[in-house]
Amino acid sequence: MAALAAERGTAEELAAIDRLAHLSQEEAQRGSNFVEPDILFHRQIVCAAHNPILQNMIDSCNDLLVQSRRRVAMEPLTTLRTVLYHLLIAEAICDRNPTQARLLMLVHMNDMVASVLAIGSRTPGHPTPRHDYLIGLEGAAHH
C-alpha cells in the first residue's frame, strides 16, 4: 500500500503521512502512547493508496493489528525502529518513490512480525498471534 500511496496520494494526503511520521517520533521521544500515532500513520497510508478493497481488508484486521501494536509499543528498541521506519517510509512516499516505499514497508512489517513473535515467545501462557499473512502483503498490492 505504501507504493500505491506514493503513486496515488494527493499532496495533502502525503503531507499528512509526513506529519504523522513526525508525530510518532515526538510521542516516542516523550515516552507517550505511541500506539495511536502508529495506527493513524498506517491508516493515512491506506487512505492515500485509494484502493477500497485493500482498505476493507486492513479494516477487517484492525483489532488484531491494534493488539499487536500495543504489545510491541512496550519494547523501547522496537519503538525506536518503528519511528525510524515511519520516517523513512514517509520520505519515500512523499518523494513519490513507490519502489522504495514498498521495500521499506515490507522490511518494517517483517520487523514487526519478528518483534511480535519474540514478545509472544517470552510471555508464558500467552498465545503468539499469527501475523505471517502480513509478510509479502505489500508486494501483493501490485499483483
Side-chain angles (χ1 to χ4, degrees):
M1 272 192 247
L4 293 175
E7 293 171 345
R8 299 177 180 175
T10 66
E12 293 80 17
E13 290 167 333
L14 301 190
I17 290 168
D18 190 58
R19 274 192 310 276
L20 288 165
H22 285 90
L23 177 62
S24 295
Q25 180 183 32
E26 292 166 14
E27 293 296 319
Q29 286 172 340
R30 279 195 291 261
S32 300
N33 182 358
F34 175 73
V35 175
E36 191 62 29
D38 181 39
I39 292 168
L40 292 173
F41 174 77
H42 287 279
R43 280 194 179 154
Q44 186 60 44
I45 291 172
V46 170
C47 287
H50 295 276
N51 186 321
I53 294 170
L54 288 175
Q55 186 164 1
N56 287 337
M57 185 179 73
I58 295 297
D59 288 347
S60 69
C61 300
N62 191 53
D63 289 341
L64 181 61
L65 297 173
V66 169
Q67 290 172 12
S68 298
R69 284 184 176 114
R70 285 192 178 122
R71 292 181 77 196
V72 169
M74 300 178 85
E75 299 284 323
L77 292 177
T78 302
T79 298
L80 175 62
R81 285 195 316 272
T82 298
V83 166
L84 294 174
Y85 281 125
H86 284 187
L87 293 169
L88 291 169
I89 292 164
E91 182 178 342
I93 291 171
C94 290
D95 287 348
R96 301 226 182 248
N97 186 333
T99 302
Q100 185 177 19
R102 179 184 308 109
L103 292 174
L104 286 165
M105 184 62 81
L106 181 59
V107 173
H108 173 41
M109 292 294 101
N110 284 330
D111 183 57
M112 290 299 100
V113 169
S115 295
V116 168
L117 293 175
I119 291 166
S121 69
R122 293 191 317 253
T123 309
H126 196 289
T128 303
R130 287 202 44 186
H131 290 85
D132 55 334
Y133 64 88
L134 290 175
I135 299 171
L137 181 63
E138 189 63 30
H142 280 294
H143 298 301

